Every structure is written in structure tokens, then in C-alpha cells.
Amino acid sequence: MSDLVKVTIDGITVEVAPGTSILNAARQIGGDIVPPAMCYYSKLEGSGGKCRTCIVKVSKGSEKDPRPMPKLVASCRTAVMDGMEVQNITSPEVLEARSGVVEILLINHPLDCPVCDQAGECDLQNLSYEHGLQKTRYEFERRTFERIDIGDKIQLHMNRCILCYRCVFVADQITNKRVHGILNRGDHSEISTYIQTAVENDFSGNVIDVCPVGALTDKTFRFKNRVWFTKPVDAHRNCNHEKCNGKVTLWYKGEDVLRVTARKDQFGEVEEFICNECRFDKKATADWVIEHPTHISDTSVISSNHYDTFKPLPVIKENLALQEANKVELEKTAKF
Amino acid sequence: MESLSNKKKVLEQKPLNFAERMYLPAIVKGLGTTMSHFFKKSSTIRYPEQVREFSINWRGMHSLKRDEEGKERCTACGLCALSCPAEAITMIAAERKPEEKDLYREEKYAAVYEINMLRCIFCGLCEEACPKEAIYLDGPIVPSDYLRKDFIYGKDKLVEAPLEVK
């Protein structure tokens, strides 16, 4: 038996370890063929299988049993087989089904993106932009909830929740005591703390980062600024917490750190969970060692409108040779 | 050298005759043209007092709109500022308090909203970007002023007056 199995996704063949899910195999290839995922989170055990946005078509089951799978399958929960052939963006059936899933995810979503702090880095916003309709066909009343303060640092907007369960898994696996969860069943399900308990734990702030929509947001950043006007910078500090290594992204507006988040990878998942002290209490540049600007994809709205104005360094003002060297730039600044 | 295009026209200049050398007929003729304008309709208007009718796609000064209940529509989403090619718009958002429910439409509102009218190029992209139909460039020409700082229009100048109930 060979250790690796061969799987072909949208015509690209990759060899992966047996037991890998189709989604993770696609992520090893990367690029456009990676199915979007709203509930699956590779760092959280047991996540996935709820939102159905990652559905793909298996046109050939395996080398031994080449029959296609009868229905579209959730790629985060389906393991690859040797010789499996998968269609994602090459199959119109998948794209149509996915837009249907998006429509259903948006049924109870308030679409209050102009107000929501998550706008600009929201997975659901991206997904509906790519797959969704311009309008809704839903005619009934959307379910509404009052917003809840979970402690003084985290805001819960149940209206926006898509019930991905990621925050529940975070509370279960990253923190040592879970005080919130899903109440009720079916279309009555809601995230809640039951009796309004504050979620207080050293790692509770990570529910903000894993939330794919704006249901759990940072209260200290609430309405401070839009994401795309802030500049992300990677930084680190020596955190005393034994489980936190202090590697974060700082979101700057001018001189001020408006918000601290964990670093996210290309699939929107955090690289390492950070503790609440780093996230909420250390908001001065002096607390951090700044590494470099965070890489933001060109297609993200966060990278737009970041024109730089040239601010001459003090050393230039005194040195004539440097003034001569920067003549063109200095003339530009003199006009304004 | 010979011209290539052959479009050049050589004017023939004859010496002036007696009437032309007197200049008087030409002066009278010129004055006649001037006088005739006294009796024609003036093609200019006295601007600040009189205003010409604007075309329907005219883009003038911005106004921040209110909804039918008189609440401010703007939620400070920042899309106008993002779309603005001249970077003329800035704003600071704030959260609505429960007692301010009649003032603002959504739970977030613009506490400060400023447009630099000297930077603005009146392209109308903010109007197009606005998801809440809150900003329109439906005002008059922006009035002139003496100081640069007076061209930064805040909410006092931009928000439209509340509807008066009769």
C-alpha cells in the first residue's frame, strides 16, 4: 500500500495522505478551486458539515469503484479516495447549488453591512458577493434578536449569526470552561449564554476571530472605524500566558492601534489563538515589536485607498545632500 | 520652398481708398453694433440674486438626507469616503443611544461628517456608493469664501433641515 492517495480536483491532480478531506486536499493545491468554507475550521476539531457552502461534485468515487457519488457532498467532511475525481468550479451544478446555499444562509441575515463592524473582512459578504443574488426572494419576517453584551469586551448580534458552531468549538477546545452554546433546536436555534453570563476566560476573545460573520464582534473596536480605513501590521510581544505566543496583527488608524486580532492565513483562519490580554489590553505601539505590514490580497477592500503621503524624516530637514536626493518628493509635499 | 499641401492663400492687400482712410464710417458702423445691443435681451444674469435653472443631472453641493420620519439616514458606513477619488470625505461614527432613536435611523450614525469642498470634484461617486440613499449632490453651487477652513463643511451645513409638520 502506498502512503499517498491520488485525487483530481478540477483537473489538477494532487497526492495527499489517506483520510484527508477533499477540502484540505484542495487547499493543498490552492487558488480558485478551494471550496469556500463558512463553518469548517482546520484548527477546531469536529467543525464543519453545517453550512454546506463547501459542497462539491464527486464525478468518480475512486479507482476501485468509479461510480460518481449520487449527490453533491460536503467537501470538509468527505475523505478522499484513491483516484477520486472532484469537480468544484468546473461544475455548473455545484455553482448553482452553492448560490442556493448562500441564499438560504442569507434568509435570516439582516444585511446590515453598512453598520456591521465585520464588513470588509466578512466571509459571508465575500461569499454572497461571488455567489449570491442581488435581491432576496424571502418575503417573510426575518427573525430578530436584541443584541447581547457578553462581558464588556464581546458583543453578540444574534441576528447576523449563521450557526456555524465555530465559537462553541473554540470555547470547548481552546478555553477551559464553556459558558455559551446553542439553545433551542431547528430554526429556533440561537447562540446564547442562557442567563446573561459574561464569557470570561483568557482565550474567550478568539470567538471574535473565528466568527465568519459579524455576530461576535470586538466591543472595544465597535464603530471605531471601518476595517478598510485601518492599516494592518504584524507585531509580537512577550506574552506571559503560557499558551499564547503573542503573535498578532495590529490594526492602525494613524498613530493609534484600534484593534488587535490574531494573524489570519490565506483561508481566513487564525494561525495561532491569542489571549485576551494581548487582544484587549495592549493597545499602545510601545507594547509591541512591529514586524512588517500584513499582506492583504489585492482584491480585498482593505487594500484600497491606502495612498501614502510622503512625510520627510527629520534627518532630511538638516542634511542638504538628502534634500537634493529627495527633491521631487519634497516638491510634491510642498504643494499641499 | 513650394508648399506641400497647397492650402496657403496669399492675401492681396490693396491700398485703402478715401472713405476707408477717413475711418469715420467704420467707427459709426462699430458704434451702431454697440448701440444695437442696448435694445437686445441681456445674455447674462445677476448671479447671486438670480439663479439659472439647473439641468436635471446637475451635481452641486451635497446634502445628507433624512427619512420620512425625519431621522438621519447616514450610518457612517464609510463607502462614500472609500469611493471618493479626491478623498474629500471624512467621518467619525458613533453608537446611537436608546433616547436618540428618533434622531438616527440605524444603531450607528455619523457623529462628525465632513466634506472638503475644495477637494471635492463633484463626480457623484459618493451618491452612487451610498447604500442608504443618504447623500445626494442636489444642492446649489458651493458658495465662495475667503478661508480654506471654511470650505470644510460639517453636518451643520450638510444635513437637510427636518421636515416641518403643518
Side-chain angles (χ1 to χ4, degrees):
Chain A
M1 282 291 284
S2 71
D3 292 345
L4 297 173
V5 294
K6 236 182 218 172
V7 55
T8 308
I9 301 168
D10 282 346
I12 305 166
T13 308
V14 67
E15 287 193 345
V16 295
T20 314
S21 66
I22 298 173
L23 182 72
N24 278 332
R27 283 187 177 185
Q28 286 182 23
I29 299 170
D32 290 340
I33 62 141
V34 183
M38 299 295 288
C39 64
Y40 175 75
Y41 214 75
S42 60
K43 275 104 194 159
L44 299 173
E45 214 174 293
S47 64
K50 298 185 175 63
C51 67
R52 319 306 287 186
T53 45
C54 65
I55 45 170
V56 290
K57 186 180 179 182
V58 178
S59 50
K60 182 184 170 191
S62 68
E63 208 58 69
K64 284 177 190 151
D65 181 6
R67 286 177 301 168
M69 289 198 185
K71 284 200 244 178
L72 303 180
V73 295
S75 62
C76 62
R77 280 298 179 96
T78 312
V80 295
M81 309 279 266
D82 196 25
M84 186 185 256
E85 280 175 21
V86 179
Q87 290 181 338
N88 178 22
I89 52 171
T90 49
S91 160
E93 193 188 343
V94 168
L95 295 180
E96 199 196 328
R98 193 168 287 153
S99 67
V101 169
V102 174
E103 198 177 350
I104 289 170
L105 283 180
L106 290 175
I107 272 184
N108 277 311
H109 196 80
L111 289 174
D112 57 347
C113 305
V115 176
C116 180
D117 278 328
Q118 188 87 0
E121 51 175 19
C122 175
D123 290 347
L124 189 60
Q125 201 180 24
N126 296 341
L127 193 70
S128 57
Y129 185 75
E130 280 162 30
H131 302 282
L133 298 167
Q134 286 280 322
K135 55 184 173 58
T136 177
R137 294 187 290 172
Y138 191 64
E139 289 171 352
F140 307 98
E141 193 134 313
R142 286 156 201 260
R143 41 179 217 158
T144 48
F145 299 88
E146 284 294 306
R147 62 169 196 273
I148 304 170
D149 296 338
I150 309 180
D152 57 342
K153 302 284 169 53
I154 307 171
Q155 180 91 60
L156 169 62
H157 273 267
M158 191 50 219
N159 285 350
R160 300 174 185 151
C161 180
I162 58 162
L163 292 168
C164 69
Y165 285 65
R166 276 182 186 177
C167 56
V168 181
F169 286 116
V170 164
D172 257 347
Q173 293 167 24
I174 311 296
T175 69
N176 48 24
K177 187 165 156 271
R178 173 158 72 88
V179 290
H180 81 287
I182 311 270
L183 299 187
N184 303 329
R185 299 196 302 182
D187 65 344
H188 294 285
S189 332
E190 59 171 301
I191 298 272
S192 183
T193 51
Y194 195 56
I195 305 163
Q196 295 202 356
T197 336
V199 177
E200 272 172 2
N201 191 290
D202 292 344
F203 274 70
S204 63
N206 287 303
V207 296
I208 297 165
D209 279 345
V210 299
C211 185
V213 293
L216 291 159
T217 47
D218 190 339
K219 263 199 104 178
T220 59
F221 180 61
R222 188 167 163 79
F223 300 162
K224 283 274 174 64
N225 217 308
R226 302 323 302 273
V227 172
W228 53 84
F229 293 130
T230 55
K231 284 190 187 181
V233 169
D234 280 2
H236 67 266
R237 67 182 271 269
N238 286 328
C239 186
N240 296 326
H241 202 287
E242 75 270 15
K243 282 199 284 182
C244 172
N245 63 2
K247 286 186 177 173
V248 299
T249 302
L250 306 177
W251 298 77
Y252 271 97
K253 179 73 193 168
E255 304 278 299
D256 308 321
V257 180
L258 292 188
R259 163 174 94 132
V260 183
T261 63
R263 294 184 193 173
K264 293 198 174 177
D265 63 11
Q266 53 171 322
F267 305 114
E269 296 185 359
V270 302
E271 286 170 6
E272 268 155 302
F273 294 106
I274 60 168
C275 68
N276 280 6
E277 192 194 346
C278 290
R279 183 186 302 274
F280 297 124
D281 301 332
K282 301 288 174 192
K283 294 206 174 171
T285 308
D287 296 331
W288 299 95
V289 180
I290 293 183
E291 292 165 24
H292 51 80
T294 308
H295 178 76
I296 298 287
S297 108
D298 292 346
T299 52
S300 168
V301 69
I302 298 171
S303 62
S304 66
N305 264 20
H306 280 178
Y307 308 179
D308 269 340
T309 40
F310 178 72
K311 290 200 185 90
L313 298 167
V315 68
I316 296 179
K317 284 176 190 160
E318 292 147 16
N319 193 326
L320 280 175
L322 282 175
Q323 278 185 18
E324 191 60 35
N326 288 288
K327 204 177 163 191
V328 180
E329 289 296 318
L330 285 170
E331 273 171 7
K332 277 186 204 165
T333 51
K335 279 180 194 163
F336 295 103
Chain B
M1 208 196 284
E2 199 184 333
S3 160
L4 285 173
S5 65
N6 218 14
K7 283 179 184 166
K8 196 158 61 180
K9 214 178 197 176
V10 183
L11 283 178
E12 223 177 303
Q13 282 199 315
K14 287 181 197 160
L16 302 178
N17 62 25
F18 180 69
E20 284 167 340
R21 265 183 288 153
M22 290 221 359
Y23 287 109
L24 271 177
I27 287 171
V28 170
K29 199 179 156 196
L31 272 176
T33 310
T34 310
M35 304 284 255
S36 73
H37 278 279
F38 290 168
F39 308 103
K40 283 182 183 162
K41 198 180 155 236
S42 162
S43 57
T44 54
I45 56 160
R46 295 170 180 278
Y47 163 61
E49 294 87 30
Q50 286 174 306
V51 181
R52 279 227 171 88
E53 201 182 317
F54 294 126
S55 74
I56 47 166
N57 56 355
W58 160 260
R59 292 191 295 265
M61 203 172 100
H62 313 67
S63 69
L64 289 172
K65 297 290 174 194
R66 290 172 189 273
D67 68 357
E68 53 280 1
E69 290 163 37
K71 302 174 186 176
E72 282 177 28
R73 301 187 76 106
C74 176
T75 66
C77 70
L79 289 181
C80 47
L82 184 76
S83 66
C84 182
E87 297 204 8
I89 305 178
T90 57
M91 71 191 70
I92 295 170
E95 188 169 357
R96 181 183 69 182
K97 293 187 185 73
E99 64 267 22
E100 295 172 328
K101 239 177 176 155
D102 300 333
L103 293 176
Y104 310 107
R105 200 177 156 90
E106 314 260 345
E107 60 180 311
K108 190 172 90 167
Y109 69 94
V112 178
Y113 191 103
E114 286 181 347
I115 302 180
N116 188 337
M117 290 299 177
L118 292 174
R119 295 206 72 135
C120 178
I121 56 170
F122 301 95
C123 62
L125 284 181
C126 47
E127 191 180 290
E128 268 179 56
C130 185
K132 296 286 175 189
E133 301 181 343
I135 190 165
Y136 282 96
L137 280 78
D138 55 358
I141 300 168
V142 176
S144 48
D145 218 322
Y146 294 100
L147 294 172
R148 277 174 182 272
K149 70 171 176 58
D150 293 337
F151 283 99
I152 298 171
Y153 281 28
K155 276 182 85 177
D156 51 332
K157 289 184 183 171
L158 293 171
V159 179
E160 81 179 349
L163 271 181
E164 296 212 358
V165 186
K166 282 164 197 166

